[in-house]
Each structure stands twice: as C-alpha cells, then as structure tokens.
Amino acid sequence: ANWEPNPQYFIDKFSDSPDHLRNLHFSYVVLLRALKKASPVLYNYEIKTGDILDDEMATILMRRLLDSMILKSCQNVFTAFDENLMFKEQVNAVTLQENFKGVFHNVSSILDCVQCQQCKLHGKMAMLGYGTALKILFLPEDMLATSLSRNEIVAFFNTIAKMSESVREVRELTNLYWSTHTRLEKSDVAGSSDSDTRILSTGIDGIDVLDAAVGAVSSLANQGLIDESTETNLIQQAFQRNPELMVLSKHYGSNLSKFLNFLPNIDSQISTMGITDNGEPDAIVVGTGLAGLAATLNILDRGGSVVLVEKEHRLGGNSNKASSGINACCPQNSTYGDYLESFKEDTIRSAGKSSKPHLIETLVENSEAAVQWLKDRVGVDLSVLAQLGGHSHKRTHRPKQGMVGAEIIYNVQRAVKAYEKSGMVKIIVDTRVTQLKRNDSGAVV
C-alpha cells in the first residue's frame, strides 16, 4: 500500500469540528507550560539506561530542547492556561482535585479494555504524559526533583513529541488542501449519514469535475510528467466530457500520482513519465539520512526518478539526532578570521591517524556550497555561527531554535516528498536492504 497525506479526509473530519483542533493546540500549550516549569529539574536529570553513549545522546537532546527559543519566545502564550485558577476556591479545592484524579483513573481503566496491545500502550503512555504535565503544574517547584519518576518523565517527553507532530501535521494537511482548492469542499462520502452510507453522486458533467480534470492535467504538464501532445489530447477529452476521464478526475483528481498511473486505462496511447508499476527508476537510494535525502533531492531536481528505501519507520536516520551544527567555511566566517587552510588543518588534526587528506580536501572545499544549498534549496535556518571543540574559528552553522539535525531533515524530506504526487519518487519504509545483486562484471543490476 502507498501511504501518503490525505488532506481531503482531514477536511472531512475536522471542518465541522474546529473545537477538536483548538483542544489539540490547548493541550500542547499545557504540555509546554509544564515543560517550562520543570526545565531546571529536567536539565540536570541524570539519565541511566546502561548504555553510556545513548545516555549522553539523550541528555544532549533533552538539553537542546530545553534551551530552544520556543520556551522563551512563546512565554506569553503559556498564560492561555493557568492551573492556579482551577482550585482557587478553598471550599471545593480538595473535592475538585479528587474528581480530577478520578477522571484520569477512569480513562486509564477504560484503556485496559482495549484489545490491541500496541493501541493500549500508546493510550496509557499519553495518559501518563498528560498526568505528569498536570502533576508538574500542580506541585510546588521545590518538590519536583523528588516527585517525578523515570516512567513519568519518559511518558511526558513522548507525549510532547506526539503532540508536536500532530500540531505540525495539522498545518501541513491544511496547506496541502488549500494548495489544490480555492474553497472548502467536503467529499461525497463525508456528507452521508450513518443510517445511509450510500456514496452520493453529484454527476460527472458538473463544472467542479471539469475543473478537477483540467487542473490535474495542467499540474502534470507543469511538472513535466506528460508531453505537450498528451496535454492537448487530455484537455480536449475533458471539454468533450469524456466519461472515463471525468470519473477518474472526480475520484483521483486530487491525487496526481494515482491519476497519472491510471491515465493509460483511458487511452493506451497516452504516455506518462516518472515511476510506473512496470518501469524502473533512474536510481535506488538506500538510507534516508542527510546523505540519502540530499542525493535523492538532487536527482529529482534534475528530472530523474528515485526509489528511496529506509529500514526504519521514519525518515532521517541518525542525522535526525545531530545536535551541534554543520561545519563550513563560508564568506561570513571571514569576520572571525576563518579561512579554508585553517579548516583543513583543524580537520586533519582532529582525524589523527584516520586522516584521509583527499576526502578532507573535498569536505573543506565544498562545505560552503553544501551549507548554501541547505539554505537556498530547502530553506534551513543556519544563521547562527559557533566555535566548537577542535575548531580554531567560528564555523559551526546552526539554527536559531531547535536541533540542527531535526531542522535539516524536516526541510529536506519535505522537499523530497513534494515529488511523491508526481510519481517521480517512491518512498519505502520498514524495509531493510541486505545485499546487492550484481552481474558477471560486478555491476549492480
């Protein structure tokens, strides 16, 4: 199955229930308010899992989160929720607190009835995360250090992460929807009631379906996925209300990848480009760290097609965890006396016996172009310069807020995924590559 964003389904579910999205943002504010309050305790919290490297990485990531500008710049937003007002009346304070705890206990008990173990785990984790946030807000600051358990802290951070992803996806789905629509429209299925689940038909001769057909063809042509003669042919069929084309446009007009793949069913003479079920990509990229994503995006920008393979469920690999920055000698670094030869010498000295001069030279000489590409092509903020260990000048580029790895991967993968609808890239996750098949001459086939 092909997994991809479904902005229409998002609109169908939430266009009539904006309060659900407001509740999502309000919950996020509550979590961030608790994170801000607990920052002094969490900053010095000792992580011990038995793996020294993982412990150090987790500590670095947690401190980078706590140091992020959002906790400072959004200080005023946190006042949208004030826990002190909840139990202000002394007469009913104790009763209200007990009722509050009872609600959480009841929800947790309901989750015990869930049959899917994974669903139950995620539900319990979220409830513990919310409960921990409220515990932080209701407790005096001097009691936090001795009152939070390891499980509570783990659940708290996981809940913040999940909520952060949800808030981001609301924005992305909204932007995706309005990139292909000029007005709010619910799908036919969304308008049907529970008692009558028949798919309602608005016909295929309407102006809306014609608009969807012409829009889809125009998008394919603009992205170079159909040639000019095919474009002319399809537009002519659309205005003649070709039934097959109109039905296809009605149901797949907003999904260009599937629309493109199904076009040959209408007319076998129609030629499409990109990756098809029977075609071969120009490249197969294994791994979705920064190197894999950058290679993929460069191929796509040059008109090539790619199959991108990742063994994990999420894209980004270890690049997602990078927290320091990217070292590069750029023109603005000259303000601090930096120059290429100095960068080269520092890198050789740090590498020690593992030094490979020809690779170091390539790294140093192309560092400026790499950073500039990240800024210009994918819009990564790398405006902060810092001098880290092993460097004699300021040349570590990092964003004003957030971790550099997460910021870079988010922006690069977004640029890559923009090609998904056109069929130029196919992303496969949860797939491990174990070996390469070669022919008799040793070339990969």
Side-chain angles (χ1 to χ4, degrees), residues 192-212:
S192 61
S193 64
D194 292 337
S195 59
D196 183 7
T197 57
R198 292 178 292 108
I199 297 178
L200 305 179
S201 175
T202 56
I204 59 172
D205 295 328
I207 190 65
D208 290 342
V209 181
L210 175 62
D211 180 65

Side-chain angles (χ1 to χ4, degrees), residues 64 67-71 73 381 384 398-404 407:
R64 286 301 303 274
D67 286 336
S68 63
M69 288 299 295
I70 189 171
L71 293 181
S73 61
D381 170 29
V384 177
R398 59 202 301 179
K400 290 181 180 178
Q401 60 183 24
M403 293 181 292
V404 64
E407 291 294 314

Side-chain angles (χ1 to χ4, degrees), residues 341-391:
E341 194 60 32
S342 171
F343 186 12
K344 182 178 177 180
E345 291 172 359
D346 288 345
T347 307
I348 292 174
R349 183 172 57 254
S350 298
K353 294 181 179 179
S354 302
S355 174
K356 295 184 178 180
H358 66 289
L359 294 179
I360 291 175
E361 193 166 328
T362 300
L363 167 70
V364 170
E365 291 182 354
N366 291 281
S367 62
E368 177 186 352
V371 167
Q372 203 60 45
W373 181 82
L374 288 171
K375 290 180 177 179
D376 297 342
R377 175 60 184 89
V378 295
V380 180
D381 170 29
L382 294 172
S383 56
V384 177
L385 269 179
Q387 182 177 343
L388 299 189
H391 295 277

